[in-house]
Amino acid sequence: MSAPSFTAAGFLRGARRSLAVAAGLAPFGLVVGVLAAGKGLSLAETGLMSGLVFAGASQILALDLWTHPAPVLAASFAAFAVNLRMALMGPALAPWLERLAGWRLWGNLFLLVDHGFALAIAEGRRGERDGGFLFGAGFALWCAWLACSLAGHLLGTTLHPPRGHPLFFAALAAFVSLLVPLWRGRHDALPWLAAAAVALPVARLAPHGAWHVLAAALAGGLVGAGLETRRGR
Amino acid sequence: MIEASNLAAILGMALATLACRAGGYFLFRALRPTPFLRAMLGYVPGALFVGYVAPALAAGGIKEWVGAAATLITVRVSGNIAIGIAAGTASAWLVWLAR
């Protein structure tokens, strides 16, 4: 392929596309900030965590078990368990990443996150292969994430919407909305059903961490590839 | 202000997360995947998000179901994710207010 592998135009396209999804990130980021303030983390520490870890669910889980002094091993393990799903995203993005090296590759790996990943996969199916798109999408989401968690810290405990407040639904709505561009057609139906069928009991058995997401991705992948192999025969 | 143990925990989390982000890709590159594994990866993205959504909807109530339906329909019709998130959240909010 002769398409350029990393352009500024691609960066802008990605950034613009992902700002649309940032709305789903905002309430989540605010929660991280509020939680961090509640656990006595300073504004600088909150910013450092959001900037370096940049993975909401793992931050919430770790902050939930935060003590003084900080639980270094438990927090690190929580991050690993929740973010293991990301180990499946890099390989799925191989057609993009294989053409990159140095900071462009490492930058994209560092900024890899669910929303940007879904956008890149959906756009990739329409022919987008510009590593700048992936980087732009991740970078815009990273900025939004940092801004929202810092804002959450500043608001501190003054803003404390109760659990179950519809504002938090925005986080789920973001994931629901990303399903639409990811749906390719009827051959996705059985793999998606398999993913749901596996996710439900796993979420019940292991409510902490994101094992159900990992299990669903593997189950859907196995069923999809199995069906494809059978069709190919 | 940054306290030492907080810094250590944050760095530990950052390293563990980067290991997940980068590790999968480099492992995949080193292993030279079979066609089956490549086919599998095509199904991973959709299945992964189903894995997020299905348990949340199962644990939720009418607020979540109405919100999710509104999100799906709006994104499908408008093709715009931001509008979908806004419409879904607004619908969930309306259900919440009505009860």
Side-chain angles (χ1 to χ4, degrees):
Chain A
M1 271 202 291
S2 58
S5 59
F6 199 102
T7 68
F11 178 88
L12 288 176
R13 270 201 306 280
R16 214 176 301 124
R17 282 282 277 143
S18 76
L19 280 178
V21 203
L25 217 98
F28 223 25
L30 287 174
V31 170
V32 165
V34 170
L35 266 175
K39 289 286 183 172
L41 266 70
S42 68
L43 187 67
E45 288 164 342
T46 306
L48 198 66
M49 183 194 278
S50 280
L52 290 181
V53 181
F54 182 40
S58 67
Q59 288 177 244
I60 289 178
L61 186 67
L63 283 169
D64 217 36
L65 41 91
W66 212 266
T67 50
H68 291 284
V72 179
L73 279 181
S76 306
F77 182 74
F80 185 76
V82 177
N83 296 328
L84 200 54
R85 67 179 192 285
M86 291 173 171
L88 291 172
M89 295 183 191
L93 287 173
W96 303 63
L97 299 174
E98 272 162 1
R99 307 165 68 201
L100 305 173
W103 70 268
R104 292 183 174 89
L105 173 62
W106 280 96
N108 264 325
L109 287 171
F110 176 77
L111 292 173
L112 188 58
V113 72
D114 309 274
H115 305 74
F117 168 70
L119 285 178
I121 293 287
E123 288 298 310
R125 288 175 188 159
R126 291 192 226 162
E128 178 79 70
R129 276 289 179 278
D130 192 329
F133 179 94
L134 190 60
F135 193 84
F139 183 71
L141 289 167
W142 184 83
C143 291
W145 183 246
L146 199 58
C148 290
S149 38
L150 290 177
H153 189 279
L154 291 174
L155 289 169
T157 44
T158 53
L159 176 104
H160 215 131
R163 273 180 84 88
H165 190 279
L167 205 56
F168 296 121
F169 180 77
L172 180 58
F175 289 139
V176 171
S177 70
L178 287 170
L179 284 173
V180 177
L182 287 176
W183 173 262
R184 292 172 296 181
R186 276 191 13 217
H187 67 287
D188 274 330
L190 274 176
W192 285 29
L193 272 177
V198 168
L200 291 174
V202 174
R204 197 167 280 260
L205 290 172
H208 298 293
W211 301 108
H212 56 284
V213 177
L214 191 66
L218 288 173
L222 280 173
V223 169
L227 289 172
E228 227 169 75
T229 311
R230 268 182 49 180
R231 271 198 303 269
R233 247 175 226 157
Chain B
M1 263 210 340
I2 296 176
E3 190 262 326
S5 78
N6 283 344
L7 178 66
I10 290 168
L11 290 179
M13 289 175 70
L15 278 177
T17 308
L18 187 61
C20 295
R21 283 186 165 116
Y25 173 65
F26 287 113
L27 199 67
F28 172 84
R29 222 170 59 168
L31 287 181
R32 298 201 152 267
T34 61
F36 185 86
L37 196 60
R38 281 203 178 267
M40 210 179 136
L41 289 172
Y43 290 92
V44 159
L48 191 140
F49 283 87
V50 170
Y52 270 115
V53 168
L57 288 183
I62 188 156
K63 179 184 81 195
E64 282 77 15
W65 301 335
V66 170
T71 307
L72 277 180
I73 294 167
T74 320
V75 177
R76 184 97 188 125
V77 171
S78 72
N80 186 315
I81 288 173
I83 295 176
I85 295 171
T89 308
S91 312
W93 208 313
L94 283 178
V95 172
W96 186 66
L97 287 173
R99 299 180 80 211

